[in-house]
Amino acid sequence: MMDTNTYEPHFLLHSWLRDRDDYFLSTNAGATEIPFQRWKSFKEAFAPEFVANAVAETSKALGRRVESCIDPFGGSGTSALTCQFLNVFPITIEVNPYLADLIEAKLASYNSDALMKSVSRVFPKREPAGRRPTVSAFSSAPPTFLEPGVNGRYLFSRSVAGRIAQLRDRILALKDDDSRRLLRVLLTSNVVAHSNAIISGKGRRYRKNWQERKVSPQDLDSNFSQMITNAAYDIRRYAHRPMKDYRLVRGDARNISKYVRRTVDMAVFSPPYPNSFDYTDVYNIELWAGGYLSSSTDNRTLRMSTLRSHVQIKRDYSHPPLASSMLNKTLKQLNEVRDALWNKSIPEMVSAYFADMDKVIGGLARVLTNRGRIYMAVGDSRYAGVDIRVSKILTELAYRYNLQLVSETPFRSMRSSPQQGGQLELAETQLVLEKL
Ligand SMILES: C[S@@+](CC[C@H](N)C(=O)[O-])C[C@H]1O[C@@H](n2cnc3c(N)ncnc32)[C@H](O)[C@@H]1O
């Protein structure tokens, strides 16, 4: 009998996903119900089932079980975590330090005594007398971070920010690496709910009537405690996943060949889309609140290391020539409508986006085993009526690396994509390539 990864190599996978049938492969719909995924509602995540299907299909194509899988754009860690349930060794790259911690917090194994001890240090039975929370930890954050803010607008009241800083200091002083990372991630994931902003597919905005909304440090504490309880349950319940190992690279996916020297059976990922969505912006509150950024230079450095899929900062868009006639046609069309574009650098950004993706795909082709596969969830974009047909362009670019098209399938759900800021009709596609 062929030793392949079927969809159900382990009963824990069923229990984790609850055999749900109301999911959409390309979205995180229903993720708040799923253990681990509920630690942070990550709008741009795909469903674990997307990964499970990709592993099962690759296993069939290889005629053996899949042993390793790489995700160069880790996000909230869906691929790596699903791989652990499927007994596949996961390699993940993520450039955003908060998200990298979120991924590792899900993948790590825990010592429950050490975790309980750490929690009791963060929430001592009696608060030490005379130590008042201070907000000085946020002195380098953008001026709107803290009350009084700018023109009367701010994200956190001084009392809530003070409590975040106090909890964070206690967490950062913990000795056990795994509990320190986990508690930092859970605190960080909890802060937006206690801010005056909400994050949607369209980015960040102030809540309606936020001035009347009362949020207290006690609210923060009680949500944080609940999150710790939930996370501790998830960790214990699924501690016996068949794969406990993982490799997390905290770095830039464009340098895959530098980080990964071994052969990998498959890749599964969803890259940023060329839709000017900047992850550093969208997760900026978390990055500052969790202490992942401590100066505006840190913020800029992080933006510069992300894929060139946005125009938020001035950066070099130059790149070597690319082999895609569809891209050349698209760039010509974009140049023709340049005056109508909301940002004049969009044609260069789109071009640089594909140069970056070309580098990632080239890097993956180098580490992929023969007949190994790449599964991508990609989304089209549109600027001034010009469609950016992402899957078509990537397919053309991939030929150069001996990657042939297996299938290009629109996702079943054509609902608006969160990555696309809620616009309807833009196609999201599952693109499958195989190494010849
Ligand atoms: C669409 S999200 C991935 C979501 C993921 N599939 C999930 O289910 O959670 C894309 C991710 O790519 C990351 N990213 C952007 N530029 C990157 C780069 N140059 N190297 C590595 N990761 C990058 C972003 O921080 C973001 O987390």
Side-chain angles (χ1 to χ4, degrees):
M1 213 173 92
M2 196 164 66
D3 178 20
T4 54
N5 312 70
T6 59
Y7 192 158
E8 50 271 298
H10 203 278
F11 74 94
L12 276 182
L13 183 84
H14 283 296
S15 143
W16 178 43
L17 301 179
R18 291 160 197 196
D19 290 332
R20 59 193 189 135
D21 52 16
D22 56 345
Y23 60 87
F24 293 95
L25 286 176
S26 66
T27 77
N28 78 337
T32 46
E33 315 285 309
I34 303 180
F36 297 100
Q37 302 301 75
R38 61 181 172 161
W39 299 1
K40 171 73 186 170
S41 162
F42 190 75
K43 296 196 166 42
E44 307 78 21
F46 44 45
E49 289 85 350
F50 177 68
V51 181
N53 290 342
V55 169
E57 286 180 17
T58 305
S59 177
K60 270 199 198 118
L62 288 173
R64 61 169 171 83
R65 66 181 290 268
V66 170
E67 284 175 4
S68 52
C69 173
I70 182 167
D71 183 338
F73 300 102
S76 63
T78 313
S79 311
L81 181 65
T82 310
C83 281
Q84 284 193 328
F85 277 94
L86 292 164
N87 198 18
V88 171
F89 177 71
I91 303 169
T92 296
I93 305 175
E94 174 55 56
V95 75
N96 181 309
Y98 156 59
L99 296 173
D101 260 7
L102 175 62
I103 296 172
E104 193 156 19
K106 292 181 182 178
L107 302 181
S109 303
Y110 291 85
N111 173 323
S112 44
D113 288 345
L115 184 53
M116 274 169 59
K117 220 183 259 169
S118 298
V119 173
S120 62
R121 293 232 156 85
V122 175
F123 288 113
K125 283 219 172 68
R126 271 220 250 139
E127 289 286 334
R131 294 246 188 104
R132 291 181 63 79
T134 145
V135 291
S136 59
F138 299 121
S139 56
S140 313
T144 45
F145 193 84
L146 205 64
E147 189 180 1
V150 176
N151 300 329
R153 285 179 163 237
Y154 54 87
L155 293 172
F156 293 101
S157 66
R158 294 188 89 77
S159 61
V160 170
R163 184 63 176 158
I164 294 173
Q166 188 178 48
L167 292 168
R168 194 182 87 184
D169 284 352
R170 287 180 192 163
I171 292 170
L172 293 181
L174 294 172
K175 297 237 162 13
D176 178 56
D177 290 347
D178 295 320
S179 7
R180 187 176 58 245
R181 186 191 311 110
L182 173 70
L183 294 176
R184 185 181 187 188
V185 156
L186 295 177
L187 174 68
T188 303
S189 301
N190 189 22
V191 294
V192 173
H194 302 282
S195 77
N196 296 326
I198 50 167
I199 315 288
S200 71
K202 292 184 182 134
R204 192 169 64 223
R205 61 183 165 78
Y206 280 85
R207 294 169 196 275
K208 241 192 196 158
N209 304 326
W210 63 269
Q211 290 92 335
E212 278 109 68
R213 186 168 172 262
K214 297 268 171 284
V215 191
S216 71
Q218 290 72 25
D219 297 330
L220 176 81
D221 280 11
S222 83
N223 264 20
F224 182 33
S225 306
Q226 186 58 53
M227 284 178 75
I228 296 173
T229 308
N230 291 349
Y233 174 85
D234 297 348
I235 287 166
R236 194 156 20 146
R237 170 77 183 82
Y238 298 101
H240 301 294
R241 299 193 289 283
M243 173 65 65
K244 297 208 169 44
D245 289 346
Y246 61 88
R247 167 136 189 252
L248 172 72
V249 177
R250 296 165 181 267
D252 184 341
R254 290 168 293 188
N255 300 327
I256 289 179
S257 331
K258 204 171 92 190
Y259 307 128
V260 184
R261 304 256 178 225
R262 53 169 287 169
T263 307
V264 179
D265 282 341
M266 65 177 293
V268 55
F269 63 95
S270 174
Y273 299 168
N275 57 1
S276 0
F277 184 98
D278 179 7
Y279 285 87
T280 314
D281 252 1
V282 177
Y283 295 99
N284 214 250
I285 301 182
E286 287 89 343
L287 285 163
W288 283 103
Y292 293 101
L293 295 177
S294 37
S295 67
S296 54
T297 312
D298 286 354
N299 200 18
R300 193 179 153 72
T301 307
L302 179 55
R303 282 175 196 245
M304 292 296 265
S305 344
T306 59
L307 218 65
R308 291 180 286 181
S309 61
H310 56 85
V311 282
Q312 263 73 356
I313 37 166
K314 254 197 165 11
R315 60 199 292 196
D316 180 11
Y317 290 120
S318 62
H319 61 80
L322 295 169
S324 162
S325 54
M326 170 72 88
L327 176 61
N328 292 339
K329 198 172 121 201
T330 308
L331 293 174
K332 192 162 167 273
Q333 289 172 335
L334 279 176
N335 270 315
E336 281 161 13
V337 296
R338 195 181 279 270
D339 287 344
L341 296 171
W342 57 268
N343 182 302
K344 297 285 176 277
S345 300
I346 284 171
E348 286 71 30
M349 182 274 282
V350 169
S351 183
Y353 171 83
F354 286 103
D356 285 353
M357 285 302 294
D358 183 76
K359 222 171 158 204
V360 173
I361 291 172
L364 288 174
R366 268 189 288 281
V367 296
L368 213 58
T369 196
N370 283 344
R371 305 215 76 82
R373 286 190 168 188
I374 299 180
Y375 281 73
M376 275 186 248
V378 293
D380 288 353
S381 290
R382 182 176 301 139
Y383 294 102
V386 176
D387 281 341
I388 320 292
R389 311 283 300 279
V390 176
S391 64
K392 296 260 178 288
I393 295 171
L394 294 181
T395 306
E396 287 186 359
L397 293 175
Y399 281 135
R400 176 154 94 89
Y401 301 108
N402 280 341
L403 292 166
Q404 84 168 5
L405 179 67
V406 174
S407 61
E408 194 189 350
T409 323
F411 280 107
R412 184 162 58 93
S413 146
M414 294 303 293
R415 302 170 329 147
S416 65
S417 142
Q419 275 212 41
Q420 300 287 9
Q423 292 174 56
L424 291 167
E425 337 118 41
L426 283 167
E428 279 192 295
T429 309
Q430 172 183 279
L431 179 62
V432 184
L433 304 169
E434 188 169 297
K435 181 148 165 208
L436 293 179

